[in-house]
Amino acid sequence: DTGVSQDPRHKITKRGQNVTFRCDPISEHNRLYWYRQTLGQGPEFLTYFQNEAQLEKSRLLSDRFSAERPKGSFSTLEIQRTEQGDSAMYLCASSSRDRGPLAGLGEQFFGPGTRLTVL
Amino acid sequence: RKEVEQDPGPFNVPEGATVAFNCTYSNSASQSFFWYRQDCRKEPKLLMSVYSSGNEDGRFTAQLNRASQYISLLIRDSKLSDSATYLCAVNAGAGKSTFGDGTTLTVKP
């Protein structure tokens, strides 16, 4: 399977614990995005990387959240001191900068997500 | 007001019907537009990119109206398998996409 993969698929944790999620993008894609989605809402942008550089972070991304993409391949999203309001689906997507007729604005392809439940 | 707005529906249509969804966006600098399909508890899957000239893929047609700042998706000859939530996404060229909250479609026999 050459699509975007995410691990774990489900995570249940207690309030105050730290959690870390991993995303492996499509191998030739140099852009990687993290989104959060709650029931009845569309995905909300959290942050994105071009290669290893983190180019934008949403105001939604409090200082409890940190993301890395150290070698420009896989990425991790860590949430420290989780709160019940962090319960959501965390989605990773990737795109290729040069793909499609609108170069630099390529379509994004999503992984299956990590569903986080904070008790 | 949200940056990208969609009618949440639900749209309940019989098999074979034609159904259309609209999505409005507020950022006039938006440059690329997409429709995604999302099944319950699954990830969004790219359905179509929306080009300035409009585009068609089988039973699906997407249109862009820059003057009125909306995109549309038309589904002809609806199938039971088309039942899903349809998300529109708008990209202003900064990498991220801004999504609407989706329109739910149920196709009934």
Side-chain angles (χ1 to χ4, degrees), chain A residues 30-100:
Chain A
N30 60 353
R31 287 190 172 185
L32 185 149
Y33 310 81
W34 285 99
Y35 292 85
R36 180 172 68 187
Q37 187 176 26
T38 53
L39 194 63
Q41 307 290 312
E44 292 179 300
F45 170 77
L46 294 177
T47 188
Y48 94 96
F49 294 83
Q50 183 169 306
N51 300 314
E52 64 274 10
Q54 188 172 20
L55 296 187
E56 188 174 350
K57 293 167 60 173
S58 165
R59 290 188 302 273
L60 292 175
L61 213 65
S62 77
D63 50 11
R64 295 186 298 108
F65 289 71
S66 62
E68 294 183 339
R69 195 183 183 197
K71 298 181 181 178
S73 56
F74 73 91
S75 175
T76 58
L77 177 69
E78 181 182 17
I79 310 174
Q80 295 182 327
R81 305 181 303 282
T82 52
E83 302 172 356
Q84 287 184 323
D86 296 333
S87 296
M89 174 78 91
Y90 289 83
L91 293 161
C92 176
S94 70
S95 73
S96 172
R97 181 183 182 189
D98 299 320
R99 180 170 178 164

Side-chain angles (χ1 to χ4, degrees), chain B residues 4 8 10 13 18 26 30 36 43 50 53 69 75 84 87-88:
Chain B
V4 178
V13 302
T18 295
S26 60
S30 299
Y36 286 80
E43 75 273 22
V50 187
S53 56
Q69 295 186 196
I75 305 175
L87 299 162
C88 67

